[in-house]
Amino acid sequence: MTRRTAKRPAVRVRWELEEYTLIKSRMKGGETMDLFSSVTELRGIGPTRAKQLQRLHIETLYDLIAFFPRAYEDRTKISSIAGLEPGIPACFEAMVISNPQLSRIRKGMELVKVRVADETGRVDLVFFNQPYVKDQLVYGESYRFYGALRDGFGCQMQNPAFERADAAGAVTGRILPIYPLTAGVSNKLLGACVRQALASCAEDLPDILPASVQQQYGLCPARFAYETVHLPSSFDDLQKARRRLVFEEFFVFSAGLAAIRTQREALHTKAMDTQHMEPFYRLLPFRLTNAQQAAIDDILRDLSSCRPMNRLVQGDVGSGKTMVAAAACFCAIQNGHQAAFMAPTEILAEQHAQSLSRLFSPLGIHVTLLTGSMTAAQKRAAKSAIASGAAQLIIGTHALFTRELQFHDLALVVCDEQHRFGVAQRAALSAKGNTPHLLVMSATPIPRTLALIAYGDLDVSVISELPPGRLPVETFLIGEDKRKRLNTFIDKQCDAGHQVYIVCPAVEQSELEDLKSAEGWAQALGQAVFPHRRVGLLHGKMKQADKDAALGAFSRGETDILVATTVVEVGVDVPNATLMVIENADRFGLSQLHQLRGRVGRGSAQSYCILVSSNRNEQTRKRLKALCATTDGFQIAEEDLALRGPGDFLGQRQHGLPLFKVADLQMDMQTLMEAKQAAGAAMTGPETLELAAYAPLRARVDALFRQSDLALN
């Protein structure tokens, strides 16, 4: 049997070009379409199909063109039957050597069986519920097939794709893009829609990258990139297209951040006197670490300039970020201004108010607390003091940026646990002053490789050391078989007068998953295991007042064991808590486990974290053992990124920043650096994006930043 050896890419390109021509000649009524025409303008897309596509966020032709494949199947290489491997999809050419047989196994189940062969062997093909195949495969004719041998079923293949050998190019002999799908939308349908969209308006795609940037970094044109990513003729071309699209994504994002930076640099504020910090340093009952002092020096440098500060202080749990923020507040107040300190929970706001009141009382600095749960009279008094200027340091939660609250002279805004607040919320608080300085703090260690993106609009100070005398939390991984010993250890910690957190992954018991639930486990522990202990419960579905009461009772030492969900991740500082038990630890990310572990180890006693997991998966155990091996949050974050990818670090829920469609933040760091440099060079001033030549780039930047809570204006 002679096998055809035609060049696959040439065949595929010819087929695609022919289809392009066909599509162009069949456009509905010969109407002109542009990038922002509705998908309903395409052949075969009515209201029902349009609704299905809408679930994939596809509404316009541009949405289709920018809807990128998630993977590719290489159907360019032709194997012999003898070369096929079970479970591995491949193309092969064979002749039909038996008449296809159609049989009805039961109601709703039809089966077509046929045998094909080449000179190296034979394969039995089975097609389920495709009765038309009986007439499409003709005895004695040759076809090309794409599929995988069933593992454990000998030489048998189910439902392979196929086409006539003399008409190859549509199903085989090509690189086939595989798209993310939704109910009612097949890969074939989506591919056909994309080809129609490209054929009708690919020539209208704007090239948003300046020609000089394309030349400097060796990037292909936009049209080539978008067409190739959907219709690749070779993997080399696909790689060129991907690099262009990755660069473009990073360039758009970096240009937006650069525009924000240039806007802020254009703002002016009155420089503060930062020379008289000695009274603050004398207040401290301890010596600052070198890292804390370096962060304070960065802040003072910002405050003494005429440009509003926009700085992130990133430090591990317990590294002393609050004292760094206190130094900034002191400087603002010394200069006759007000400072606002926003915390993520009422309990934490109350703790900050108590500790900073004690710290600043010798200097006569007036600290005011404002939270949502205060009485109406308390709120009126606090707001009056804030408006008159009598309140110098104002501490609170989201209540600080309600519309009716007026500040006398707000010059500094501090946001604790930055990722709990959106950029828009920070901006709302900043808008209450006359271009106030902004200091945001985060205990969530972001991998250094991601800091450029996550905090691209902020200057960053890192507190990389813990205060002296802090004992590292000892961490252990155990299975369910050690439950009895764990309960004994919990009892022992309580006997010593300490307190214990027990974190569960679920709120309520589920029949679908064997997970510890906070409600069920708290009841079981309180009734059967520790009836002699005071067991508390805390989870996100509780009313705010009940949550505050549960945290308050634990903080005051009125509860021995607090069973909770991850709501305690950012909660309250309890130095007496020395043991953190995390049930079903395999269900959490490493960085989240590290955050939970940070709830203990805040006092002078040795503290422990016990990870409970019976999961035997090798990769899972490797991940959990990585946490046991180090207490360095940044090292853990890098490990988490390597094992799980960037989603948890850069999701909209956490940071208010968009994910990237094509770019991979591990693979593409070099491209990120290049794109950031190119965008920085292009954005020469806040007016750059207003230039007519940059209109397409401005549109892309606006669209990208609308997905998050960032804004250019």
Side-chain angles (χ1 to χ4, degrees):
M1 192 179 298
T2 304
R3 187 181 297 107
R4 288 177 173 79
T5 56
K7 292 182 180 177
R8 316 300 175 211
V11 171
R12 192 210 61 75
V13 169
R14 186 174 68 248
W15 174 79
E16 293 295 358
L17 287 174
E18 286 171 358
E19 192 190 33
Y20 254 39
T21 307
L22 198 63
I23 288 171
K24 275 187 172 287
S25 68
R26 288 183 183 171
M27 289 300 176
K28 285 185 178 176
E31 297 167 1
T32 302
M33 292 192 234
D34 62 29
L35 286 168
F36 301 103
S37 295
S38 167
V39 291
T40 56
E41 296 295 315
L42 299 176
R43 285 182 298 104
I45 304 299
T48 302
R49 283 270 190 256
K51 278 189 177 179
Q52 292 168 340
L53 289 171
Q54 203 171 24
R55 292 202 294 266
L56 296 171
H57 307 290
I58 296 172
E59 297 181 17
T60 67
L61 300 196
Y62 177 73
D63 293 337
L64 266 173
I65 292 171
F67 189 76
F68 300 123
R70 62 175 176 80
Y72 296 88
E73 287 181 355
D74 185 358
R75 300 186 177 188
T76 62
K77 299 182 179 71
I78 303 297
S79 171
S80 65
I81 288 177
L84 299 176
E85 297 180 48
I88 299 176
C91 283
F92 65 98
E93 189 173 311
M95 178 184 286
V96 176
I97 62 169
S98 73
N99 285 313
Q101 299 296 316
L102 173 63
S103 56
R104 290 174 176 81
I105 301 175
R106 61 177 183 273
K107 189 176 180 181
M109 175 65 76
E110 295 177 315
L111 201 68
V112 174
K113 284 187 178 181
V114 64
R115 179 168 289 181
V116 299
D118 67 5
E119 65 267 27
T120 68
R122 60 185 62 187
V123 180
D124 290 323
L125 307 181
V126 181
F127 296 87
F128 290 98
N129 289 333
Q130 299 176 54
Y132 50 85
V133 170
K134 178 180 181 295
D135 299 319
Q136 289 182 342
L137 292 173
V138 180
Y139 177 81
E141 295 289 333
S142 290
Y143 299 84
R144 285 208 185 132
F145 300 91
Y146 180 80
L149 292 177
R150 291 184 68 190
D151 206 356
F153 281 80
C155 221
Q156 188 189 92
M157 189 177 287
Q158 282 186 3
N159 300 327
F162 65 90
E163 62 192 344
R164 291 183 64 91
D166 58 3
V171 174
T172 64
R174 63 182 301 214
I175 300 168
L176 184 74
I178 306 299
Y179 295 93
L181 301 173
T182 187
V185 179
S186 67
N187 199 71
K188 185 177 180 181
L189 171 69
L190 199 49
C193 290
V194 169
R195 288 194 294 276
Q196 284 193 71
L198 284 170
S200 66
C201 55
E203 59 197 31
D204 298 332
L205 279 165
D207 210 324
I208 64 170
L209 296 181
S212 58
V213 170
Q214 294 184 55
Q215 187 174 1
Q216 182 179 353
Y217 294 99
L219 302 169
C220 65
R223 180 172 178 177
F224 176 88
Y226 279 86
E227 289 185 330
T228 300
V229 81
H230 293 294
L231 308 168
S233 56
S234 72
F235 280 102
D236 283 344
D237 280 354
L238 185 57
Q239 192 57 35
K240 289 175 191 170
R242 184 186 179 279
R243 173 170 156 72
R244 156 69 197 226
L245 294 171
V246 168
F247 193 102
E248 190 174 292
E249 281 194 324
F250 284 146
F251 186 88
V252 169
F253 189 72
S254 299
L257 293 181
I260 290 172
R261 277 183 174 275
T262 54
Q263 282 178 358
R264 285 178 180 144
E265 284 165 4
L267 296 174
H268 293 281
T269 190
K270 188 177 177 182
M272 292 189 192
D273 178 3
T274 59
Q275 300 301 309
H276 304 289
M277 295 295 294
E278 272 310 310
F280 172 77
Y281 295 131
R282 284 199 298 268
L283 290 176
L284 301 178
F286 50 80
R287 185 184 176 87
L288 294 169
T289 65
N290 292 335
Q292 283 176 305
Q293 189 61 61
I296 291 172
D297 291 344
D298 288 342
I299 291 165
L300 296 179
R301 202 160 35 247
D302 291 341
L303 296 179
S304 64
S305 76
C306 293
R307 185 173 64 88
M309 174 173 67
N310 196 47
R311 181 169 295 278
L312 166 78
V313 173
Q314 189 182 7
D316 222 335
V317 174
S319 59
K321 296 183 297 301
T322 303
M323 281 304 110
V324 170
C329 294
F330 173 80
C331 183
I333 293 163
Q334 277 285 89
N335 280 266
H337 307 297
Q338 288 176 304
F341 194 124
M342 188 163 66
T345 66
E346 291 204 358
I347 293 287
L348 211 51
E350 289 167 7
Q351 283 199 332
H352 283 322
Q354 289 168 8
S355 62
L356 293 176
S357 289
R358 284 196 301 269
L359 178 70
F360 287 133
S361 60
L363 298 178
I365 291 175
H366 183 197
V367 178
T368 296
L369 176 69
L370 180 62
T371 63
S373 65
M374 290 167 61
T375 65
Q378 289 172 326
K379 286 179 186 175
R380 278 196 303 272
K383 288 175 181 178
S384 174
I386 294 166
S388 69
Q392 296 164 291
L393 174 57
I394 301 93
I395 299 174
T397 54
H398 295 72
L400 292 186
F401 53 82
T402 53
R403 188 173 290 124
E404 69 272 11
L405 180 62
Q406 298 296 319
F407 287 83
H408 177 69
D409 180 16
L410 180 62
L412 172 67
V413 174
V414 179
C415 295
D416 193 11
E417 283 303 330
Q418 177 266 344
H419 72 287
R420 299 279 157 166
F421 300 103
V423 181
Q425 291 170 314
R426 299 200 304 265
L429 187 50
S430 293
K432 290 184 173 295
N434 184 17
T435 59
H437 297 278
L438 179 65
L439 179 66
V440 294
M441 303 192 296
S442 178
T444 304
I446 299 296
R448 291 171 180 87
T449 51
L450 298 190
L452 281 170
I453 291 297
Y455 304 124
D457 64 325
L458 303 175
D459 298 312
V460 181
S461 297
V462 176
I463 303 179
S464 55
E465 59 183 313
L466 296 179
R470 277 280 174 97
L471 294 171
V473 178
E474 293 185 13
T475 308
F476 303 94
L477 172 61
I478 67 169
E480 195 62 42
D481 57 323
K482 301 290 192 299
R483 177 67 63 183
K484 194 172 180 182
R485 287 177 62 181
L486 172 59
N487 290 342
T488 302
F489 188 62
I490 291 171
D491 238 355
K492 196 174 175 182
Q493 290 296 307
C494 293
D495 282 340
H498 300 309
Q499 291 165 279
V500 178
Y501 291 101
I502 298 179
V503 173
C504 300
V507 174
E508 301 163 338
Q509 201 64 45
S510 167
E511 295 178 6
L512 301 176
E513 294 185 287
D514 186 22
L515 298 178
K516 288 279 191 302
S517 71
E519 289 183 342
W521 198 229
Q523 188 176 13
L525 292 177
Q527 292 178 359
V529 185
F530 302 114
H532 53 298
R533 303 292 181 197
R534 298 167 297 177
V535 178
L537 173 66
L538 174 67
H539 59 73
K541 290 186 179 180
M542 293 166 61
K543 292 178 181 177
Q544 188 59 51
D546 294 336
K547 284 194 278 190
D548 290 342
L551 268 176
F554 192 68
S555 178
R556 294 188 297 272
E558 296 165 7
T559 304
D560 301 310
I561 301 169
L562 182 62
V563 181
T565 56
T566 54
V567 71
V568 297
E569 183 184 348
V570 177
V572 63
D573 189 359
V574 184
N576 191 46
T578 56
L579 176 59
M580 167 65 70
V581 178
I582 304 173
E583 303 286 352
N584 303 109
D586 51 283
R587 302 305 292 258
F588 301 94
L590 280 186
S591 292
Q592 190 170 35
L593 290 171
H594 178 64
Q595 286 291 101
L596 291 168
R597 175 169 63 181
R599 292 294 100 206
V600 297
R602 292 166 171 263
S604 56
Q606 178 63 58
S607 292
Y608 306 89
C609 178
I610 310 294
L611 310 176
V612 184
S613 174
S614 297
N615 190 310
R616 307 308 300 173
N617 179 276
E618 187 178 339
Q619 188 76 353
T620 300
R621 297 194 73 77
K622 178 186 175 186
R623 200 165 58 82
L624 296 176
K625 284 177 180 176
L627 191 79
C628 299
T630 181
T631 55
D632 183 335
F634 292 96
Q635 187 178 331
I636 289 162
E638 294 285 357
E639 182 78 14
D640 212 10
L641 175 66
L643 292 169
R644 296 199 309 156
D648 283 350
F649 297 106
L650 294 180
Q652 286 187 350
R653 180 181 60 82
Q654 285 193 328
H655 296 286
L657 297 179
L659 286 171
F660 299 98
K661 287 184 177 181
V662 191
D664 182 302
L665 287 159
Q666 285 176 272
M667 286 172 47
D668 301 317
M669 277 307 297
Q670 183 59 39
T671 307
L672 166 61
M673 299 296 288
E674 292 172 353
K676 187 172 185 290
Q677 185 177 11
M683 297 297 105
T684 53
E687 72 289 340
T688 302
L689 285 178
E690 303 303 327
L691 299 175
Y694 282 86
L697 175 61
R698 169 75 194 218
R700 282 282 300 277
V701 169
D702 283 345
L704 181 67
F705 280 54
R706 270 198 305 272
Q707 289 174 238
S708 67
D709 59 359
L710 287 167
L712 291 184
N713 297 310

